[in-house]
Structure formats: structure tokens, C-alpha cells
Amino acid sequence: MFDVARHLGATTRAVEDSTHEGTPVKVVVASRTYPTDVDDLWRAVTDPERIPRWFAPVSGDLRLGGRFQVEGNAGGEVLACDEPRHLAISWEFGGDTSWVDVHLEESADGATLTLRHAADVSGNEHWPTYGPGAVGVGWELGLMGLAEHLATGTTIPHEQVESWGASADGQAFMSGSATQWGEADAAVSGDPDASRAAAGRTAAFYTGAEPPA
């Protein structure tokens, strides 16, 4: 049984203002704790044999300075690789470059993964239209897949993922995630109505529902 509420409740979400090399950026922060140790969690997120079991196939040179390509998604460069605590990559998609940092640390309940995705959103209508959920929901799907992989040790077939996304559980998870990202943004944006409206459009995008007026 897939427990939608448990998975949604397992992720901590935040939206921050920061800078990257002097440029103002928005940072989407997602954190989740897993019942394993840091070494195993590091291998799960960096081993090219394990990554496709919960995320997507990745090709390229997965070493410091190497370039990679996620199948059907972004590519980029490995900017930092401090085993087993910190991984940093560029995230290049659709002509835009953003930056992803993954930090791992021991916790009372296992090992905690914190992902920070920073992007320059100035002059870009994507952020006011969709808000942090545009990337937040996608990363949260990945963190959920990682939890399922760590719990079972098995590979999640792509076809199964696709069919799950159309199921009642999949739709509820993606809609709930979009809503929670909207609330995280509403807490800091100064315009909670706009944050929640953007979350509604994000939920519609992921679920295929009619977007709110």
C-alpha cells in the first residue's frame, strides 16, 4: 500500500532568497530522512548502477569536473564531490542553467538528505506562473522513489512509474506536493494568494487537470 500522507509528511520544504556568484537566486530546499546510514545513502544517489533504480538513467563521467546527462531531462557538470557528505552539480535544461547541492548528514533516525536547487528567476515568467513547485514536485517525486528503493532494494520500472502517476495515489501525491510547495512559498513571498495560485497551476501541470482560472 502506498501511503500518500506519510510520504508527503516525510519531506520538509522551504523557499529561500540567496545569491550564486553574486547573482540573486531563488532556492528550493527539500529535506528527507531515510532509515539507513550516510555511506549507503551516498551510494544510492551517486552510483550510476543504483541511480536508475529510483530516478532515471544517467550517462557521462560522474566524477569531479565530468559532465553527465539524465535521460529525458537535464545535463550538467559535477562541480563538487566530497564523499559522502556533499555533491554539487549544474542543472542545464531548456537553455537555462541552475545549480543543485545535495548534503547528507547523520541523524537520530538514520541519514538526512537535503537538496538545494538554486535558480536565477529574474526576467523569467516561469517562477511567477508556477512558483517553487515547478521543480519542487519533481525533486519530491525523486525523494519518494529513493525511499521506496531503500526500503525494498529493488528497481522501480519506468512503466510502473508512468502508470502510478496516473493513479489516484499518484495524482494525490503530486497535487499534495504542489500545495505544500505553495504553502512554503506563501510563508516567505509576501503574496500568499499568488503563491497558492501558482501552486494550483503546478498541480494542474503535473496531474493533467484543468488549470485554475
Side-chain angles (χ1 to χ4, degrees):
M1 291 290 292
F2 183 84
D3 190 334
V4 174
R6 179 179 69 83
H7 279 291
L8 289 174
T11 299
T12 300
R13 308 164 191 83
V15 181
E16 300 174 355
D17 290 305
S18 187
T19 60
H20 179 84
E21 298 181 350
T23 299
V25 292
K26 289 286 187 183
V27 187
V28 174
V29 186
S31 182
R32 180 162 179 164
T33 298
Y34 298 94
T36 189
D37 57 45
V38 162
D39 289 331
D40 182 49
L41 187 56
W42 175 266
R43 289 191 296 272
V45 301
T46 60
D47 184 342
E49 296 296 323
R50 290 184 69 178
I51 296 170
R53 298 179 189 175
W54 59 272
F55 187 57
V58 178
S59 59
D61 185 6
L62 302 186
R63 296 180 296 178
L64 183 63
R67 292 194 61 80
F68 67 90
Q69 178 65 50
V70 180
E71 186 176 293
N73 204 314
E77 180 182 351
V78 180
L79 303 176
C81 186
D82 304 315
E83 183 178 354
R85 301 288 178 177
H86 176 224
L87 174 71
I89 58 176
S90 62
W91 192 256
E92 302 166 17
F93 184 78
D96 293 325
T97 299
S98 52
W99 304 272
V100 177
D101 279 89
V102 177
H103 295 270
L104 308 183
E105 60 182 353
E106 302 284 358
S107 70
D109 299 317
T112 298
L113 182 155
T114 300
L115 182 146
R116 301 173 58 86
H117 192 155
D120 177 4
V121 300
S122 60
N124 187 329
E125 286 304 308
H126 195 70
W127 182 274
T129 301
Y130 296 104
V135 297
V137 174
W139 284 122
E140 195 167 343
L141 284 165
L143 297 184
M144 179 271 292
L146 178 57
E148 292 291 305
H149 164 63
L150 289 170
T152 64
T154 59
T155 299
I156 304 171
H158 180 72
E159 297 78 10
Q160 182 178 327
V161 173
E162 289 292 318
S163 62
W164 177 84
S167 71
D169 283 344
Q171 298 276 292
F173 180 85
M174 292 184 288
S175 179
S177 174
T179 297
Q180 291 301 314
W181 281 108
E183 292 305 309
D185 192 47
V188 296
S189 69
D191 191 346
D193 289 340
S195 296
R196 291 170 183 137
R201 290 187 286 270
T202 295
F205 172 80
Y206 274 97
T207 64
E210 187 70 24

